[in-house]
Amino acid sequence: MKIAGIDSCPLGWIVILHDQNGFSSLAVTQFSKLVDLHPDLRRVFIDIPIGLSSEGFYRTVESSMRKQLEKRASTIFTPACREAVYAKNYDAAREINKRVLGKSISIQSHNISKKIKEIDQFFQEKSNALEIYESHPEIVFKYLNDSKVINSKKSTKEGFQERFQVLISLAPELEDLYHSIISSYPKSKVKPDDIMDAMSLCISNSKSEINNLRFIEDENHTDANGISVKIAY
């Protein structure tokens, strides 16, 4: 079965694939292009919110993830509500989110809204058998690291290396793949931590073929559009 781990990047999306031939990679500007290029892709873990808050539904899964990550809880952000994600600009998004959820959104949260909207729209339109699950690198790293939270910051050299060593201890061939990606794309298009995060999601996804999928589930299960809200690892 062909599976993937996906993270957003300045170019669009960095994708790490795995099948019977091992690991491979590509970067695409749009998620739909990945599906067109790999119609045999069956399951993806993606680091993007899936299932959004609205007037009738409030995501609770962030609270559960923060409890899981303890000192690294700050790496979990609360995504904007669906109406704010579709807003025409940041000011409109802030006002809408205040009205719907009672609080504003950061510029960082707003900046990723375009990617959230892209996946939300894909869910509305998708008609194939592709399984798409929201995942989170820090949650994934915890369970790839014998259920121990990695407390170093990913943005530091130490934190990056600590996580990267976890990955190559599980799949040594990822070291060469990482360097191949780095040499193929400038950091302005694909950042090192984007690659590492996509790799972590891919490994977690591939291990789930043997150990079965595990989820951190939202208390309300599905959003107003019927989309399941749960974090795969």
Side-chain angles (χ1 to χ4, degrees):
M1 181 170 75
K2 181 176 285 187
I3 58 92
I6 306 172
D7 193 24
S8 64
C9 63
L11 177 67
W13 304 96
I14 178 66
V15 183
I16 306 299
L17 297 155
H18 184 268
D19 60 16
Q20 69 273 15
N21 297 315
F23 292 94
S24 59
S25 69
L26 78 159
V28 291
T29 55
Q30 293 180 311
F31 184 82
S32 59
K33 290 186 177 181
L34 167 65
V35 179
D36 292 340
L37 290 168
H38 292 274
D40 56 340
L41 186 59
R42 288 292 168 261
R43 188 174 68 211
V44 305
F45 281 17
I46 185 168
D47 182 18
I48 204 75
I50 295 175
L52 304 174
S53 297
S54 62
E55 295 271 6
F57 168 78
Y58 185 82
R59 279 176 59 119
T60 65
V61 73
E62 277 73 34
S63 177
S64 298
M65 284 196 287
R66 290 182 184 115
K67 290 176 183 176
Q68 288 257 3
L69 292 180
E70 303 164 354
K71 294 179 181 178
R72 296 293 290 154
S74 61
T75 63
I76 305 297
F77 79 95
T78 300
C81 67
R82 178 172 281 112
E83 194 176 347
V85 164
Y86 283 77
K88 61 183 180 180
N89 56 47
Y90 180 43
D91 288 339
R94 290 175 63 197
E95 291 307 311
I96 290 168
N97 217 64
K98 285 179 185 177
R99 174 173 55 80
V100 175
L101 298 182
K103 55 186 176 183
S104 184
I105 58 171
S106 67
I107 188 63
Q108 291 85 356
S109 179
H110 175 69
N111 286 342
I112 202 170
S113 288
K114 182 179 179 181
K115 300 283 181 67
I116 298 174
K117 178 181 175 181
E118 182 182 348
I119 300 303
D120 192 56
Q121 288 177 324
F122 186 86
F123 263 86
Q124 295 173 40
E125 300 163 0
K126 88 182 192 82
S127 58
N128 59 24
L130 177 61
E131 297 177 53
I132 308 172
Y133 295 110
E134 176 180 352
S135 191
H136 192 283
E138 291 299 282
I139 293 288
V140 161
F141 272 116
K142 173 181 176 177
Y143 289 101
L144 294 178
N145 189 45
D146 297 325
S147 299
K148 300 172 186 174
V149 176
I150 299 178
N151 286 316
S152 57
K153 292 184 178 181
K154 182 176 61 179
S155 58
T156 66
K157 183 177 180 180
E158 175 196 4
F160 184 94
Q161 285 301 322
E162 190 172 0
R163 288 164 178 78
F164 195 62
Q165 288 302 314
V166 170
L167 297 184
I168 62 175
S169 71
L170 295 167
E173 61 269 42
L174 287 179
E175 186 167 13
D176 286 342
L177 181 60
Y178 171 82
H179 291 296
S180 174
I181 299 169
I182 284 291
S183 66
S184 299
Y185 300 97
K187 291 181 181 179
S188 60
K189 298 295 184 183
V190 181
K191 297 182 292 184
D193 58 316
D194 299 332
I195 303 168
M196 184 173 66
D197 286 348
M199 286 181 167
S200 72
L201 269 55
C202 186
I203 289 183
S204 183
N205 194 352
S206 66
K207 287 173 72 69
S208 296
E209 292 184 68
I210 301 171
N211 301 327
N212 298 318
L213 291 169
R214 297 180 183 178
F215 298 101
I216 301 171
E217 298 201 41
D218 197 278
E219 292 176 4
N220 299 308
H221 304 296
T222 59
D223 74 357
N225 284 1
I227 298 171
S228 295
V229 182
K230 53 188 179 182
I231 310 303
Y233 65 94

